[in-house]
Amino acid sequence: PRRVVVVAVMTAVTAMLLAPSSSADTTADLRSAVAAKRGGCPALRSDPVLEGVAQLANLETQNYANHTARFQPMEDPMPTLHQLGYPARKAKLLAGFADAHQFADAPQRAIYGATLFGWDTIPDCSYTRYGADVVTDTKTGKTTAAIVLAGD
């Protein structure tokens, strides 16, 4: 079962890399927004596993929004992290969504949504690692932003 999950996550990450996506600047904008909301806590450390889970969350949300999903998108990253054998006592997914047909600044709106959803989680010093990802589907104009926080 663990191998199946690892293969699924790696497949999703590969699909995200090959799919139409946003520029690296929007993910950098998301990282800056998270850092700005960190308050007096130490800076979060970027983690490649959490990056992959954030990408997976965005892929699932994009598929759901485009009516191509076979299941609802991820809400809780802990089951995926447990299946990967990732050492975290707690984890949280913060997600944002915006459609370019409704908002000219859809990536910024999605980033705002994800960080607003984490108003009480991002400044929680017990979270020490994170992954972040922003994706815009160039065909539909839908933008998703995902932050995965993890702590011991």
Side-chain angles (χ1 to χ4, degrees):
R2 181 176 170 184
R3 183 175 180 198
V4 172
V5 172
V6 171
V7 170
V9 169
M10 297 313 295
T11 301
V13 170
T14 301
M16 289 296 290
L17 294 174
L18 299 175
S21 63
S22 65
S23 68
D25 292 339
T26 54
T27 298
D29 290 347
L30 177 58
R31 291 179 188 286
S32 294
V34 170
K37 295 198 179 294
R38 194 68 174 137
C41 295
L44 290 164
R45 293 186 320 268
S46 180
D47 185 288
V49 173
L50 299 176
E51 296 284 328
V53 175
Q55 291 171 351
L56 177 61
N58 272 338
L59 175 64
E60 289 180 0
T61 303
Q62 286 281 343
N63 288 343
Y64 188 79
N66 292 328
H67 306 288
T68 59
R70 295 177 12 181
F71 49 86
Q72 289 187 326
M74 175 189 311
E75 292 181 10
D76 179 6
M78 279 305 282
T80 301
L81 294 174
H82 279 275
Q83 289 175 338
L84 293 171
Y86 187 82
R89 196 177 309 182
K90 65 181 191 172
K92 180 91 174 187
L93 170 63
L94 309 172
F97 178 86
D99 191 330
H101 296 103
Q102 295 176 334
F103 303 105
D105 60 344
Q108 294 307 315
R109 294 281 184 135
I111 290 168
Y112 176 76
T115 56
L116 180 65
F117 185 59
W119 70 271
D120 62 341
T121 309
I122 295 171
D124 180 341
C125 295
S126 66
Y127 290 101
T128 57
R129 302 174 305 280
Y130 82 121
D133 186 54
V134 178
V135 173
T136 299
D137 184 325
T138 56
K139 293 178 185 175
T140 65
K142 295 172 182 167
T143 299
T144 53
I147 306 161
V148 177
L149 300 167
D152 298 325

